[in-house]
Amino acid sequence: MTQTQATPAQSTRVAIVTGASRGIGASVAQRLAQDGFAVAINYASSAAEANALVDELKAQGLSAIAVKADVAKPDEVRALFETTEAQLGRVDVLVNNAGVLKTTPLADTSDALYDQTFDINVRGTFNTLREAAKRLNDGGRIVNFSSSALAMNLPGYAIYNATKAAVESFTHVFAKELRGRQITVNAVAPGPVATELFTNGKTAEQIANFAKMPPLERLGQPEDIAGVVSFLVGPDAGWVNGQILRANGGLA
Ligand code: NAP
């Protein structure tokens, strides 16, 4: 467990962003820090990237710490919340961004790939939601990560889509289970976003074809999704609860 010290004011709202060392998570962490949150930047292995982001935010006078935890492991998730509470004082927002994608036909999927995808995307979300139920302040916000891939049913996406279907189910049910706490639970379902997760293993032609699919005719950028998360955890989304927001340029 590595941490970088920060000293937010008592009243500063605190957000945990899982998988925030790069890609969409890093952009969400940056945006929430700019919105005034003290941010816990979680990562599993990319310590250098996570610590560099913390340094960058601190240089802008913003408040952030980096916390190593594999979301698939319940004890590490518990420690993630404990470290955040110890360093930043409280937890108001959880953004369940950490996730993996490896496309392969269902018939060719190894047990190891199945386990890894479900462990990180589903068990990881389950672990953080269960911990959040105990620790999130009343009035808090939770944003899970699904995918617009779910609506497209493309070959190769069976295992990944199944994990995101589970995340959408968690979102709908958990929003109801937190009745009385004034905590909203929503999910964002991005279309293709220009990150390593999306581009890895694809040819330039495949990437260009994906970029042409939405009527807005481009790939999403991490900042497009960070803006949606900022809305969902901000004051204007207080009446949005149990919803899946598909941010994909009109793709599906
Ligand atoms: P990415 O660029 O591959 O980044 C993934 C992040 O998750 C990294 O910071 C990685 O950190 C972290 N991570 C991976 N396994 C982890 C674990 N076990 N515990 C904690 N952190 C872990 O991915 P992305 O494109 O930003 O995707 C973010 C989310 O958006 C995912 O849930 C993905 O399914 C969803 N999404 C993405 C797209 C897209 O087109 N990019 C579309 C729809 C939905 P380490 O390197 O330290 O492991």
Side-chain angles (χ1 to χ4, degrees), residues 159-222:
I159 308 307
Y160 179 74
N161 282 5
T163 67
K164 295 304 188 181
V167 168
E168 292 200 7
S169 289
F170 287 172
T171 303
H172 294 306
V173 174
F174 203 52
K176 293 184 179 172
E177 290 182 353
L178 292 180
R179 173 180 289 275
R181 301 267 305 269
Q182 304 304 318
I183 296 174
T184 64
V185 186
N186 294 292
V188 59
V193 177
T195 68
E196 280 175 41
L197 176 140
F198 170 72
T199 54
N200 270 354
K202 292 189 178 75
T203 63
E205 192 187 354
Q206 285 171 322
I207 293 169
N209 283 339
F210 271 103
K212 273 188 235 134
M213 284 180 189
L216 297 186
E217 292 191 321
R218 65 170 176 86
L219 292 178
Q221 294 300 319

Side-chain angles (χ1 to χ4, degrees), residues 39-57:
V39 181
I41 292 165
N42 159 252
Y43 65 96
S45 56
S46 303
E49 288 90 336
N51 285 317
L53 180 56
V54 168
D55 291 345
E56 194 185 316
L57 295 178

Side-chain angles (χ1 to χ4, degrees), residues 92-178:
D92 302 285
V93 167
L94 167 66
V95 181
N96 267 321
N97 164 81
V100 288
L101 163 68
K102 280 179 195 137
T103 53
T104 181
L106 186 149
D108 301 335
T109 301
S110 66
D111 292 336
L113 178 59
Y114 178 95
D115 285 348
Q116 187 208 27
T117 310
F118 270 84
D119 272 354
I120 296 174
N121 295 6
V122 183
R123 189 184 295 280
T125 300
F126 162 70
N127 284 336
T128 55
L129 292 180
R130 186 171 55 178
E131 209 56 37
K134 287 182 231 153
R135 294 171 183 273
L136 221 64
N137 277 325
D138 287 3
R141 301 285 172 87
I142 297 173
V143 179
N144 294 326
F145 265 72
S146 179
S147 170
S148 287
L150 194 47
M152 298 174 73
N153 294 312
L154 293 173
Y157 281 76
I159 308 307
Y160 179 74
N161 282 5
T163 67
K164 295 304 188 181
V167 168
E168 292 200 7
S169 289
F170 287 172
T171 303
H172 294 306
V173 174
F174 203 52
K176 293 184 179 172
E177 290 182 353
L178 292 180

